[in-house]
């Protein structure tokens, strides 16, 4: 699983039926320096995450299993909302989970 | 899932039978700056996507499941056509979904 | 799936039984500029591909499914021989599929 | 599988039920020079690992299988605690497994 | 599958039961220039490979299938020992398979 920050929402009226009714969030991966990368991924929300949340993302077949639908198109799912990251006391971890 | 822009089509008369009758589109991944990368991927279209569309791509076994064929060679499928990406109001998101 | 060019063959007399009798080709991934990368992958041929062919490679469990063997060690298979890549008329696409 | 060093813990009160009761550790991948990268991953502990341990991480569906739960969200699991890495006698391998 | 060179062994007394009795080898990926990368991976040996061998590595669920254990933690397995890589006659391929 990887850590990321929710930075937006995807609007896609034409999509696979397994995605209908799910929130498609844009998530930016975080690295150990707490600096954002320019990469981005789209993950389905399963825990009520929203903009600026630091989240835990599961990928691949494990993400599909979370959806309880064997034919789901989902290959990335937000499976946790991160409250804190305890990096042996390094303060930048606190930075990550600040809002906005 | 990742976001990309359809930039072309692959013509491959000799191919695995599970690919016959499917549209093989070349998709260029997009990053958070809205800048295109030089990487490219080939995905099977499942939603009627075409050139210059911004699309949502599912990968791995989840892409195969979308094809409803357990022995499909597909490991990447276009599962959504993106109308808009709402990046906390950042205008470059608009740029991505403009045609051509 | 990704696009690549066949650049060689692997000779491995000692190998998993599921690989015996299969052609193990070295494939160099291509990017959008038509420039070769220094990365390389080994894929099992399933469509009669040979040296200098531009090919379509499927990966992961989908590649294994193509082999019709649940216990196959294959995680990458050549599933198409590319005749042309139509990149909105960009001529470099033609370059890719030239022989030699 | 890849090698990494445990550098922290993730606190995520809101999470998928399959993650409840599991220790979510932040693991920093190691490379051949023994230098840490800035990338980081989150893996579920299954062997009693803790801060500063050098660990072996399994990913994807194999990590899920280790959890003995077909619907687990886990896509990365710590499956070994590394005592030593014998790199043809290169001393930097020793460096990796030192505590703290 | 990818090509690599065996550069070491991992000693991990505390590990998942599916790994007990297997040789855990450190493998350094090779690229088209024959130059080693600084990345490294750990793969279970299934073909009698040893230090300095050039090997073929299978990953993901296909590696697990090779182990004949549905609950194996293995996501990377050495499935072939490479005797030669015929890169259209390029001599550097010979370099890769030299011992030591």
């Amino acid at each position: 699983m990887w850590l990321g920050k929710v930075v937006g929402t995807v609007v896609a009226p034409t999509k696979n039926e397994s995605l209908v009714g799910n929130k498609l969030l844009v998530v930016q991966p975080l690295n150990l320096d707490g600096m954002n990368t320019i990469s981005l991924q789209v993950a389905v929300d399963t825990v009520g995450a929203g903009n600026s949340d630091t989240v835990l993302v599961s990928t691949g077949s494990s993400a599909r299993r979370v959806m309880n639908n064997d034919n789901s198109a989902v290959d990335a799912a937000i499976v946790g909302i991160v409250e804190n990251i305890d990096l042996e006391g390094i303060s930048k971890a606190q930075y990550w989970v600040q809002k906005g």
Side-chain angles (χ1 to χ4, degrees), chain A residues 56-90:
Chain A
L56 188 64
V57 180
S58 177
T59 60
S61 55
S62 295
R64 185 178 65 244
R65 295 299 178 91
V66 168
M67 306 309 291
N68 285 322
N69 173 357
D70 280 351
N71 293 320
S72 171
V74 171
D75 68 357
I78 296 175
V79 295
I81 301 177
V82 177
E83 197 176 273
N84 190 27
I85 304 168
D86 183 1
L87 286 182
E88 306 183 38
I90 297 170

Side-chain angles (χ1 to χ4, degrees), chain A residues 30-52:
Chain A
L30 295 168
N31 66 29
L32 197 61
D33 290 335
M35 294 175 63
N36 292 335
T37 63
I38 61 165
S39 165
L40 58 78
Q41 298 289 322
V42 177
V44 165
D45 174 47
T46 71
V47 288
N51 252 343
S52 303

